Structures are given as C-alpha cells and as structure tokens.
Amino acid sequence: MKFGLGQAAPRVEDPRLLSGGGRYTDDINLAGQAYSHMLRSSHAHAHIRSIDVEAARLAPGVIAVYTGADVAADGLGDMPCLAAKVVPLKRPNGAPLFQPSRPALVQDKVAFVGDYVAFVVAESRDQARDAAELIEVDYEPLPLNVHTAAAIDAGAPAVWPDCPDNICFRMELGDKAAVANGFEAADHVTRLSLPMPRVAINPMEPRAALGSYDPYEDRYTLYSGNQFPHDMRSWITEAVLGVSESQLRVVSPDMGGSFGLRANIFPELPLVLWAAKKLQRPVKWTNERSDSILDEQARDMVMDVELALDNSGHFLALRVRCLANMGAYLSNFGPLPAFGNFGGVAGVYQTPAIHGEILGLFTNTSPTGPYRGAGRPEATSAIEQVIDLAARELGIDRVELRRRNIIPPTAMPFQTGLTYNYDCGEFERNMDRALEMANAAGFEARRAQAKSNGRLRGLGLANAIEQAAGMSDEGGEIRFDQQGHATIYMGTHSHGQGHETVFRQLLSEKLGLEFEAMRYVQGDTDLVGYGHGTGGSRVSGLGSGALLGAAEKIIQKGQQIAAHSLEVPEVDIEFADGRFTIVGTDRSLSLTDVAAIAFDPTQLPQGMDSGLQGFATFKGPAPTFPNACHVAEIEIDPETGVIQILRYVAVDDVGTVMNPMLLKGQLHGGIVQGAGQILGEQVRWDDTGQVLSGSFMDYFMPRADSVPFFEIETNPVPSPRNPLGIKGAGEAGTVGAVACLTSAVLDALAPLGIRELDMPATPEKVWRAINGL
C-alpha cells in the first residue's frame, strides 16, 4: 500500500490538470452546436414597455431570439428556491415568506442590473453577442432601493408591489425571555453594529452550459459544471422543464472552482436545453467576466450585536439582530446563508442565553446566495468582535476574557444557548497553541517598535467554530472488474478539493489497493447512481462514510466468495491488507483473486449474483463542528492607510486528517478569500443601482503579495458522528480569517480611539479613520 489515510499523498489529478488535460464545460463541443448570448438589463428597476427583436433576428448568423413571452408561451417554470421548501419561513404577519416569481426571462419588469431579458442563439458567439446589441428595449425607470439598512425605512421603494415593506421573511432563534433576564441582571453591556460587505463570487472559470436534445429518446443532456449534479437534475426537471428526472442527464465536468456559485440554477441552464429542443441542435453558452460578477453575490448583512456580562467578565446573554439582503430574487439556496449557520454566533463560549432575529430584505440588486462559509464568517465575526470590544471597555485582557467563558472539553457534547450541539473540541488548547506560535507574548514590544517607526501594528485573534456535514446523506459505490481494478463512483463533486486523491487513500487503506488499480468517476448522473454533491464541508465526513460502507460490502461478499473457494466456514475468513485469509493459516486469496472468481458463476456459492460491487449511503446522526483559533499580525502605514499582513497562524481541529497536504491547501485558499473580503473586496453601486465594481479593474482581488506564508497546525479531536472521526475543512479558513483580520485591524487602530470600522478596510477608509474624516 503506497498511501493511506493521514499521509500527504500528492494529488493524482494534478498532472492531468497542469498539463492541459482538464476538460471544462467550454472545452466540450457537439456536432452542429449553436452559440448563445444573454441580454441583461442595464436598469436596476424598470417596467419593460416593449422589446423589439426584429433587427436582431435579421442579423447575420442569428438562428433565434427568445424573450420572456416565448418562455411563458411554452410553459417553462420559474427558477426554484430550495430553502423556501425545506424551512417554513414566515413574514412578520405570519404569512409564508414572500417569493417573487423568477422566470428564465422576464416579461414585464427588471429588478436589478443584470436581470435576464433576452436570449440570442446564433452560429457563432460573436454573432450572438452582436445581435443582442440590436435588441431595443423600452424601459420605464422605477424608484429603487439598493442599500440593505435602508430597505425597511419608511418610504423605501418596494421591489415587489405585493411585498410593500421589502421583508421577505422574519425568523427568531433562541430564548428571548431568558436573554431579557440576562440583560436585566448585567453589570455591563457591549453594543456594536457590524455591516458585512457584499462580495462577488469569482471562481477562475466563469459559468458555462451546453444543452442537447435527443428527439428519439425525448431526452435532454446538460453539460455544465455544478456542485450538485443529481440535485440539479431534480430541480431543473421538476421546477422548470416539467419532465421526469429520467429525461435529463447532467454531466458536470472539471470545474475551475465554485465556492457556492454553482450550487444554483441560473436561467441559462434550462434555456440551453429548451432552445436545443426547439432548434433541434445543441446550444452552448459561456459567461463573460463582467456578467459573472453580476450573477450572484454574497454576504451583505448588517448585524446589531449586544453582549451582557457580569462584573467578573462572564457572559450572561447575547442578542443579535440581523438584516440580510436577499437581492431582488431568491436564488436556489437564497435565504439559507442568513439563517442556516446563524448558530455560530454562540462561538466556543458558554453563553447561557442567546436570541437572534433575522430579517430577509429585498433590494434592487443581484440575488445573494451561498459563498464559502455561507453565514459562518458573519456569525463568527459577530461574537469575536463584540468580545474584543467588551474587553477594551472593561479593561480585561481579551484572551483572559475568552478564557473565562470558553467551553472546556469536559463539557462535551455541549448544547449552546442557541441551536447547535457541539460534538467535541479542545478550544482553549487551540487558542493557547496559536498564541504561542504567533509569539503573542512579545507582541507589545513589536507594537512599540512599529510605533517608533511611524507604523501602527495590530494583533488579531479569533476562535472560530462552524457547522459541517449536516446536509442530507451521501452515496458511494465501488465496482470491480475481472482483473481486480476498482472504479469509484461518487455522488460528491470535486472542483479543486482533491477528492480523487483522498478517496483513493481511503480505499488503499481499507481494501489494500494501489492507486493505479483505482479509477474515479463523478459528475455524470447516467454513471453515478446516487448523490447530493459538494457543499457545506460535507464531503469528507459524509462521502467517506458512504465509501467506507461500500467497501464493507465488498469485504463482506469477498469473505463469502473466499470461504466458498477455500472450503471453510465464512467465520474463519479474515480480511487484511488486501487478502482474505483462513484464520491461523497461510492459506489466502487476494482481493484480485476474489474479483476474478466473482465473475465466474461456476465458482460462486449457489444463489449469489455475479460481479463484485458495493453501494452504500451515509447520513451522520448530527452535524460535526470543525473549530480553530486564528492569529494574525498586521501593520498599517498611517500615511497611506495600506495594510500589510505580516504573519498568519492557525490551529485547526478538523477531526481526523485525511491528507495533511490537501488540508493545508484548503485552509490556505480559505484564508486568502477571507483576507480578500477584509482588505478590499466589495460590490459597490451608485444610487441608480449601476454597479461600480463590475470588472477586476474596479473589484479588488487578493494577490500573492497580499498575504504572507501561512503557519498551520492541527489539533485533531475526532468526531463521534461519522466512522472516521472527520469534521470537515472546506470553509474553515474563511470562517476564521474574516474575524481574525478584522480583529487585527481594529487592534491596530484602537490606540487612536477608533472603536469600529466598517469592512473592507481599504486604504482610503483606514486613512480617513486615522485622520478623523
């Protein structure tokens, strides 16, 4: 066995990807395919008086031009909102949440800059784009609102007439009465307002789709990178096309990142299928970066946080009110980031009473949806920032304040004052080790030295915890051929995480197989029988549990075959290191031998099916809770407001580590995304709803010189909630980084009396704060 779990096996997918062997959606071409372009609204809010497409239809190479009237005439359904089905959200008056109709192409009005107006199909991409410019749309501008905090102000324009207060839903969590009692008994209350900026989701590969239709089978095929191939098939067929699942094959090839973006149905996906059927030829669509930034955005919350403490610094109660911007429509997972991980505001602390109120609001902006962390960074920032501020107000060291309230390992499993029940963890140990790695004890001397050089230095600290592996179950299948080679079929989808490597490691250890004897298949609903995809750090815990179950079935059948072939009772057969051995003897058969026998019915026990395969699903009894402590040291040049991250350390508990090299890659990438959000990422628009950050010329993206080398250690405390003790790591870096770097910036500014600063901490914003402007 070359590599097992816990070893730093190199990624087997890298040689293919690095040598140009990746196969992305735009690389796929079908005979006779046409090309399409989406005309998107230039207005944030307007009635559509008329659409004139005649000039576009007569343009060179144009095959068809479709509008909302065509979509409606053919009976295509609206884009669905999964969260609205799963959670019974209500409006303040008790009515169900307001879900506006979102057709694939609008008819009567547009509700944000980038709304979907017309779909042009032509012989080439350039011809489709040129023809779209010939479409004349007569817009009647309407009053609009684009700012989260102002959406519920008296007189704020309604995005939807049937929702005049712009409140999509209201949710309450926790014990309101207990929290009120805690505040009444408090000796001190710390309050802060915490806006979280809106960010764009920017994977390396823009979205793309290729649709085809077979009239003889009455069946569609969609080629498009997405996180949930099987669920996507269900959503599109049920909600939009109105056909059975068996009539749609979804193929999700290599994908250049996703981060939540490709978890949703966008209008182009059903449109290429619908157009392919109407035109009887494949239809391809590839997004452009300027449109991609408008696709779907994330974060955009305003949280009012209050922490009640007694004189000794013990937490008595926590109250959080959150305004969450939904944008103009509900995306497929729309409201989920606003409430799905809200329980994280409890942090790693023993706060006895917590209450949260969440208002989901409509504005004339792009819909918001899940982005790496999906509410976790917001929750962690809320509790960690209010603790930092409380420590300053009370004159208590912020580490000591955390220490007085942190949950000890002996309290596990721990029910928080809100919704989460933590499985296990050593939170104080994480914090102590991270502070030791960062030499926090010597920080004040370094701060003084920086001050003598005219610089402001800050030390950031954040204890992070998040919910993971809580979404449904997952499936895994193993099929052997006669030569003993295994094919792994997973319902999860890797788009950079390294699933092809870690799942081989799992079977290498469990079944004694060499990497070269395994093949990996994902992302094709015709080949993979069952699965729910990748998101919410669910793959390592749930996917591995499923694959482990499938391996157990392989072993079980192999023992029956070996016992029959060796003419002993099954109980006398043991399996280890890829061999089935008669206990206490040297008589054995290899797994390769057993696989060959499995395909010869004359050598099998009577009544046994031929072949060697195993399929299993796994659903954990409850979510797992990865946790960490992040510490960062930064320096600010007060003359320019420029921030430099000098050092970044993290101690993470992700449970059992499957591959330490891949884990560090996940953490590094997540930290960089969190750093981007704090250093400058923000979608901005003017009062007319025009996006001011619509390209990378205007939208800040972190680069290699934005961050230092990271120092990562792990403190694995295996979870009891899956067979391998895994907790998950996909979101962990971002969850800790957003709060940690905010803490560092405010610590650097605190000596100047600056109490709060809205993120991102751009040089201009920092400079203005320093100069009192």
Side-chain angles (χ1 to χ4, degrees):
M1 181 179 68
K2 188 174 183 180
F3 290 113
L5 287 181
Q7 298 184 45
R11 287 170 30 124
V12 297
E13 49 268 67
D14 282 352
R16 173 176 63 86
L17 297 173
L18 292 173
S19 61
R23 191 166 184 252
Y24 300 88
T25 303
D26 198 46
D27 294 325
I28 302 171
N29 295 290
L30 301 177
Q33 73 186 19
Y35 297 82
S36 58
H37 180 81
M38 180 69 76
L39 176 66
R40 302 180 70 164
S41 169
S42 58
H43 287 261
H45 199 199
H47 280 305
I48 297 176
R49 293 193 184 101
S50 64
I51 303 178
D52 186 348
V53 301
E54 289 309 308
R57 283 182 174 144
L58 296 173
V62 171
I63 303 167
V65 180
Y66 300 113
T67 67
D70 300 308
V71 167
D74 276 16
L76 265 66
D78 287 351
M79 303 300 103
C81 178
L82 176 70
K85 292 184 177 181
V86 175
V87 181
L89 299 171
K90 302 288 187 182
R91 285 180 28 83
N93 62 5
L97 95 165
F98 185 81
Q99 182 177 351
S101 171
R102 190 186 185 190
L105 296 171
V106 299
Q107 279 197 83
D108 301 322
K109 85 164 188 170
V110 294
F112 71 99
V113 170
D115 214 342
Y116 299 81
V117 177
F119 194 64
V120 182
V121 183
E123 297 292 349
S124 74
R125 188 173 298 161
D126 288 342
Q127 288 173 328
R129 186 190 299 109
D130 291 345
E133 294 182 0
L134 299 175
I135 298 173
E136 295 185 7
V137 185
D138 184 6
Y139 292 107
E140 178 189 350
L142 296 170
L144 58 112
N145 81 78
V146 294
H147 300 297
T148 305
I152 54 174
D153 287 351
V159 178
W160 304 104
D162 293 336
C163 185
D165 57 7
N166 289 317
I167 297 178
C168 171
F169 70 91
R170 177 179 177 272
M171 174 182 276
E172 283 195 77
L173 299 167
D175 190 332
K176 189 174 184 178
V179 167
N181 291 336
F183 274 86
E184 187 175 343
D187 297 306
H188 181 84
V189 175
T190 294
R191 297 179 174 87
L192 67 83
S193 179
L194 176 59
M196 297 294 286
R198 179 178 288 222
V199 296
I201 308 171
N202 284 300
M204 290 187 294
E205 177 204 14
R207 292 189 304 109
L210 172 60
S212 67
Y213 175 76
D214 185 337
Y216 301 102
E217 289 193 2
D218 187 23
R219 194 163 190 256
Y220 303 86
T221 299
L222 174 67
Y223 300 89
S224 184
N226 67 82
Q227 296 176 226
F228 305 110
H230 291 82
D231 291 342
M232 189 68 68
R233 177 183 63 177
S234 175
W235 300 331
I236 291 176
T237 54
E238 177 184 345
V240 188
L241 296 180
V243 299
S244 67
E245 284 190 25
S246 62
Q247 288 177 270
L248 174 61
R249 175 192 182 194
V250 174
V251 179
S252 180
D254 288 325
M255 188 170 21
S258 178
F259 313 118
L261 180 70
R262 291 175 170 90
N264 298 293
I265 296 179
F266 289 92
E268 295 90 356
L269 303 187
L271 284 175
V272 295
L273 298 171
W274 173 68
K277 180 177 181 179
K278 291 178 75 68
L279 300 175
Q280 293 296 295
R281 60 188 292 188
V283 175
K284 187 174 188 176
W285 170 83
T286 303
N287 208 6
E288 299 177 5
R289 183 63 65 179
S290 57
D291 281 347
S292 177
I293 288 179
L294 302 175
D295 273 345
E296 184 172 284
Q297 296 156 2
R299 312 293 195 232
D300 202 347
M301 295 183 181
V302 178
M303 292 180 285
D304 291 323
V305 188
E306 299 174 282
L307 179 64
L309 309 93
D310 64 19
N311 277 328
S312 61
H314 290 99
F315 303 164
L316 301 178
L318 177 69
R319 181 187 291 137
V320 183
R321 184 174 188 263
C322 175
L323 303 180
N325 196 334
M326 301 290 100
Y329 301 96
L330 296 180
S331 68
N332 194 35
F333 282 89
L336 191 62
F339 65 81
N341 293 294
F342 191 80
V345 299
V348 298
Y349 308 105
Q350 303 180 76
T351 314
I354 306 174
H355 179 259
E357 178 191 38
I358 306 162
L359 289 179
L361 309 178
F362 290 116
T363 60
N364 293 111
T365 59
S366 296
T368 57
Y371 173 57
R372 199 169 194 172
R376 299 168 177 89
E378 297 91 319
T380 298
S381 290
I383 182 62
E384 291 299 297
Q385 271 196 243
V386 79
I387 292 173
D388 275 0
L389 185 56
R392 291 191 187 101
E393 291 176 348
L394 291 169
I396 301 175
D397 178 79
R398 56 185 168 159
V399 174
E400 175 58 26
L401 184 58
R402 286 171 167 84
R403 203 180 300 282
R404 293 178 190 180
N405 292 280
I406 208 161
I407 302 166
T410 54
M412 298 295 177
F414 183 83
Q415 178 60 53
T416 72
L418 199 54
T419 55
Y420 288 166
N421 183 276
Y422 298 153
D423 47 355
C424 56
E426 297 175 346
F427 308 141
E428 190 170 12
R429 183 178 177 184
N430 293 344
M431 184 172 68
D432 288 342
R433 178 57 185 148
L435 291 168
E436 179 185 7
M437 290 170 62
N439 187 18
F443 171 71
E444 288 303 330
R446 297 193 297 276
R447 191 204 291 265
Q449 180 61 46
K451 183 178 180 181
S452 69
N453 294 327
R455 304 289 174 125
L456 300 170
R457 190 170 284 224
L459 188 72
L461 166 70
N463 289 317
I465 190 164
E466 54 165 322
Q467 175 181 243
M471 295 170 58
S472 191
D473 64 351
E474 192 47 69
E477 184 176 5
I478 307 165
R479 299 183 208 165
F480 278 85
D481 62 20
Q482 297 180 62
Q483 287 76 41
H485 292 84
T487 301
I488 305 166
Y489 296 87
M490 291 302 299
T492 57
H493 194 290
S494 177
H495 33 275
Q497 296 93 334
H499 299 177
E500 297 176 45
T501 302
V502 293
F503 287 140
R504 279 181 168 91
Q505 287 182 258
L506 190 156
L507 291 192
S508 183
E509 180 164 303
K510 184 68 178 178
L511 298 179
L513 295 173
E514 296 295 335
F515 272 32
E516 295 75 17
M518 290 179 273
R519 178 172 169 262
Y520 183 82
V521 175
Q522 66 171 17
D524 188 331
T525 58
D526 272 11
L527 299 178
V528 180
Y530 183 83
H532 288 288
T534 296
S537 300
R538 68 188 304 277
V539 172
S540 55
L542 302 184
S544 293
L547 193 60
L548 194 65
E552 293 284 0
K553 292 183 179 180
I554 294 289
I555 293 170
Q556 183 180 14
K557 185 172 183 178
Q559 286 175 320
Q560 295 173 3
I561 294 172
H564 182 75
S565 296
L566 297 171
E567 299 181 327
V568 296
E570 186 181 334
V571 294
D572 290 343
I573 298 293
E574 64 178 4
F575 179 77
D577 299 325
R579 300 196 70 85
F580 296 91
T581 305
I582 300 175
V583 176
T585 75
D586 59 359
R587 294 181 62 201
S588 66
L589 293 172
S590 70
L591 182 55
T592 300
D593 297 331
V594 168
I597 295 170
F599 286 88
D600 183 354
T602 64
Q603 297 189 60
L604 295 177
Q606 187 171 2
M608 178 178 282
D609 294 330
S610 299
L612 186 61
Q613 61 276 326
F615 168 77
T617 63
F618 178 77
K619 178 176 174 58
T624 57
F625 289 90
N627 56 88
C629 181
H630 290 220
V631 178
E633 192 162 331
I634 65 135
E635 200 167 77
I636 298 175
D637 179 353
E639 297 297 320
T640 63
V642 171
I643 295 171
Q644 181 183 7
I645 304 173
L646 303 174
R647 194 172 185 190
Y648 199 104
V649 307
V651 175
D652 273 82
D653 169 17
V654 299
T656 300
V657 178
M658 300 182 76
N659 183 316
M661 183 169 63
L662 269 61
L663 170 62
K664 286 186 177 180
Q666 285 289 293
L667 294 173
H668 290 181
I671 292 168
V672 171
Q673 285 183 277
Q677 181 175 328
I678 297 308
L679 295 179
E681 284 195 57
Q682 184 174 22
V683 177
R684 303 188 66 183
W685 47 81
D686 63 20
D687 290 338
T688 69
Q690 295 298 319
V691 176
L692 303 176
S693 50
S695 76
F696 289 161
M697 294 292 289
D698 310 296
Y699 185 88
F700 172 88
M701 287 289 282
R703 304 179 188 275
D705 61 358
S706 300
V707 294
F709 287 98
F710 302 117
E711 301 166 59
I712 306 290
E713 286 191 6
T714 58
N715 176 31
V717 182
S719 172
R721 293 176 179 174
N722 59 67
L724 295 174
I726 294 166
K727 291 180 177 176
E731 270 81 20
T734 307
V735 175
V738 171
C740 178
L741 289 170
T742 301
S743 173
V745 173
L746 292 174
D747 185 60
L749 297 174
L752 304 180
I754 298 171
R755 184 175 181 269
E756 299 178 30
L757 183 74
D758 294 349
M759 297 294 127
T762 61
E764 178 187 6
K765 193 180 294 183
V766 172
W767 181 85
R768 287 183 175 276
I770 291 171
N771 289 279
L773 300 175

